[in-house]
Amino acid sequence: MLVIGLTGGIGSGKTMATDHFARLGITIVDADLAARVVVEPGQPALAEIADTFGAEMLLADGRLDRARLRQRVFSDTAARQHLEAITHPRIAAEIARQLAASKSPYTILVSPLLFESGQARFAQRTLLIDADPAQQRTRAAARDNTSPEQIDAIMAAQMSREERRQRADDILLNDGEPGHLYAAIETLHGRYLELARGQ
């Protein structure tokens, strides 16, 4: 199975890109969704998080209080590493399970932290959806109602644009015109289909 790892900074247009790949019949495996699956009620990771960080990390209905956990680990490196030790192996297993279930000619694995998390190891090629940082900020603020300070903090935590550009096999610039992005995706789709046939 040919796996294409797709990434990009906040507000770069990853969802716009994956939605178009899906319209072309390609299975999308979303690392963020896999991360949510492994901490659902009844999952071992959720119980381990509650044991490690305290029952106050759970909402009244037994689900994870993401905001409280994020606050707890955001400025505490040791706590964040402990959380990652609980969740990362399980997220990797869930991603692998979803990739194995894919029936499309190739599969897209979308992850905002594809390179940082080591999830690029699942992919034979990587695709960066690139955008001007000013456009990223504008889009992120419009989409999530996120403050400029939060956006800056997220961008600072992600790999730099330059480093992502160096590490990606393929780069599509999302200049804000959907038609430009879709046309570029369709060209790449043809190339990926050829690569998949060659595997």
Side-chain angles (χ1 to χ4, degrees), residues 11-13 129-136 139 161 172-175:
S12 59
I129 307 300
D130 190 34
D132 175 77
Q135 280 188 317
Q136 285 181 255
R139 288 178 197 149
R161 181 185 186 190
L172 294 184
L173 179 64
N174 180 14
D175 61 4

Side-chain angles (χ1 to χ4, degrees), residues 3-9 12 14 31-32 84 88 95 109-130 157-172 192:
V3 177
I4 308 296
L6 184 150
T7 193
S12 59
K14 293 182 297 296
D32 281 351
E84 288 170 354
H88 281 193
I95 287 170
L109 167 61
V110 57
S111 173
L113 301 174
L114 185 76
F115 298 122
E116 297 93 325
S117 66
Q119 290 166 354
R121 72 183 183 279
F122 289 110
Q124 286 76 51
R125 281 190 81 77
T126 55
L127 167 59
L128 171 64
I129 307 300
D130 190 34
Q158 293 181 336
M159 186 177 283
S160 74
R161 181 185 186 190
E162 293 69 31
E163 193 174 348
R164 272 196 298 259
R165 287 180 66 89
Q166 284 172 357
R167 292 184 63 170
D169 296 308
D170 302 309
I171 300 171
L172 294 184
Y192 292 159

Side-chain angles (χ1 to χ4, degrees), residues 45-74:
L46 186 61
E48 204 173 325
I49 288 167
D51 288 346
T52 303
F53 297 101
E56 65 272 15
M57 294 301 151
L58 301 181
L59 296 164
D61 63 3
R63 288 180 303 120
L64 182 63
D65 187 337
R66 292 174 188 285
R68 179 169 275 195
L69 182 61
R70 215 178 1 253
Q71 241 175 354
R72 171 74 179 81
V73 303
F74 190 70

Side-chain angles (χ1 to χ4, degrees), residues 187-199:
T187 301
L188 265 185
H189 174 63
R191 199 180 327 153
Y192 292 159
L193 287 173
E194 277 176 36
L195 284 173
R197 278 194 290 271
Q199 280 211 332

